[in-house]
Amino acid sequence: MFGAFRPTNSLGGGLLWKIPWRLSKFQKARQRKRLRAVDTVVAVVDQALAKKSITTKAVERWKEEMPIEQEMVPKDKYTIFDRKEKKYRKGIHKLPKWTRVSQRVNPPGY
Amino acid sequence: MSYFRITLMRSGIGLPKRTQGVLKALGLRQRMKTVFYPVTPEVAGQIMKVKELVAVREVDRALTKHELKAERKPDPGFYMERAARR
């Protein structure tokens, strides 16, 4: 508590957020795995419908607009656009429920 | 007739009511619950709503509750021999 080796964190008022600013390599690996899992689901649904020669708007739109995991650049996999942030990017783990929502595209040019 | 075999891998807790409603409509009430639906555009749309939460396979027929249970059962590692009839 007192002395030369007191923890500095509690000095700043008590509230301390320990969320790292970037993902670890393991978090990145799991993020890629989740992206691929979603790609698989879409591919399975698409193939099943194609066998019956049906098309669905939801699937067609996804295929048209969203890149698959292998097509995405690392910047888009692990960070998202934020206008308030320096250099307009922040870690994707700042997105609420980020492991259960799809966030693949960002504004062009950022 | 082909079916979608849909398994809930991730819970819908804390997600929008709309998403939770789709899970309820599909009959996915807890994680690892498996349901079967015929391949139709309606079901495909529902799957697309919850694609981050489920694992999907296309299968030829819908399994019954007992078949699903037998699938989960681990191999006992032994079998009982029967006495040969003399």
Side-chain angles (χ1 to χ4, degrees):
Chain A
M1 197 92 180
F2 304 105
F5 297 105
R6 60 181 184 255
T8 50
N9 294 331
S10 60
L11 291 176
L15 187 65
L16 172 67
W17 294 96
K18 281 194 175 176
I19 303 176
W21 70 274
R22 59 185 164 187
L23 299 178
S24 72
K25 65 177 178 180
F26 306 106
Q27 284 176 306
K28 287 184 188 177
R30 288 194 296 270
Q31 167 71 354
R32 290 194 297 275
K33 198 176 157 192
R34 283 192 294 270
L35 289 171
R36 283 198 299 271
V38 173
D39 289 339
T40 316
V41 168
V42 176
V44 166
V45 172
D46 186 40
Q47 279 170 17
L49 292 177
K51 275 183 202 166
K52 298 199 160 195
S53 58
I54 313 168
T55 55
T56 312
K57 195 177 146 198
V59 180
E60 294 304 310
R61 185 150 181 227
W62 178 271
K63 283 200 299 178
E64 192 182 311
E65 290 179 3
M66 294 294 175
I68 62 169
E69 193 261 332
Q70 288 86 350
E71 290 168 0
M72 289 172 72
V73 288
K75 193 176 147 192
D76 281 340
K77 286 182 200 174
Y78 313 124
T79 61
I80 57 168
F81 171 76
D82 182 12
R83 68 191 166 88
K84 300 184 294 300
E85 208 71 22
K86 206 182 272 182
K87 294 185 85 177
Y88 302 107
R89 283 278 169 170
K90 64 179 181 182
I92 198 166
H93 59 299
K94 307 270 179 152
L95 177 72
K97 314 278 181 253
W98 68 286
T99 62
R100 289 184 288 158
V101 294
S102 284
Q103 157 58 45
R104 297 199 177 202
V105 288
N106 286 291
Y110 286 96
Chain B
M1 188 80 177
S2 58
Y3 289 83
F4 283 126
R5 179 195 166 124
I6 312 166
T7 307
L8 185 65
M9 307 304 283
R10 304 288 310 272
S11 148
I13 293 174
L15 290 179
K17 284 280 173 292
R18 202 61 194 267
T19 313
Q20 295 189 9
V22 172
L23 289 180
K24 199 174 175 188
L26 284 169
L28 296 168
R29 284 162 188 281
Q30 55 185 334
R31 272 190 61 223
M32 305 315 288
K33 167 84 179 167
T34 303
V35 292
F36 292 88
Y37 284 100
V39 175
T40 58
E42 291 82 8
V43 175
Q46 283 179 309
I47 293 173
M48 287 303 283
K49 273 275 178 201
V50 294
K51 59 192 169 306
E52 295 90 4
L53 310 178
V54 295
V56 181
R57 266 163 49 194
E58 194 194 359
V59 292
D60 294 330
R61 68 185 189 88
L63 298 181
T64 63
K65 205 167 84 178
H66 300 291
E67 284 169 326
L68 277 175
K69 170 113 186 172
E71 220 175 58
R72 287 198 300 272
K73 202 173 173 184
D75 179 25
F78 65 89
Y79 62 92
M80 298 296 276
E81 284 192 355
R82 293 276 174 87
R85 296 191 71 177
R86 296 161 198 271

